[in-house]
Amino acid sequence: QVHLAESGGGLVRAGGSLRLSCTASGRTGSTYNMGWFRQAPGKERQFVGGINRSGRATYYPDSVKERATVSRDDAKNAVYLLMNNLEPEDTAVYYCAAGGTTYEYWGQGTQVTVSS
């Protein structure tokens, strides 16, 4: 079992930046693929970015590709999401996830609110 805890959310003005952190605990001996997702009220969960086990490959949807950066620090059992040039449409609960071929483990989420 892997437990994930997100932090770093909050209120930010449009155009600002935010770095979210996700710390893993429990069975972290195996290295997992890590991902970030978000869900806004009334909308479906959306993939924001991911990083593979080795950290050598990252993946982003076109909607955030130029503004999001995912990184990991396995020594700290942590993965990060840096979002730049935030827009009100980025307001959502952000979740990190871990897994192999699928994301098996999920955090509780952290709220990000972007004011215009």
Side-chain angles (χ1 to χ4, degrees):
Q1 191 66 275
V2 176
H3 300 282
L4 303 173
E6 302 93 340
S7 60
L11 177 64
V12 63
R13 288 187 176 182
S17 299
L18 209 60
R19 190 178 86 148
L20 305 181
S21 300
C22 173
T23 303
S25 60
R27 284 189 59 191
T28 57
S30 299
T31 302
Y32 296 96
N33 296 319
M34 302 294 295
W36 285 95
F37 294 77
R38 67 186 181 187
Q39 188 165 21
K43 295 187 177 181
E44 293 185 355
R45 188 170 58 195
Q46 178 187 23
F47 175 68
V48 180
I51 188 166
N52 71 347
R53 287 182 174 89
S54 69
R56 293 191 183 100
T58 53
Y59 313 92
Y60 307 96
D62 289 342
S63 58
V64 301
K65 192 171 185 177
E66 301 299 325
R67 302 187 295 118
T69 303
V70 178
S71 60
R72 65 190 299 158
D73 184 343
D74 289 336
K76 296 181 179 179
N77 290 326
V79 64
Y80 308 99
L81 171 66
L82 174 65
M83 289 281 292
N84 295 314
N85 195 19
L86 286 161
E87 304 167 350
E89 292 72 23
D90 294 316
T91 295
V93 177
Y94 284 69
Y95 301 90
C96 72
T101 55
T102 61
Y103 290 109
E104 305 167 56
Y105 306 105
W106 293 81
Q108 293 297 308
T110 185
Q111 176 71 46
V112 172
T113 302
V114 183
S115 63
S116 57

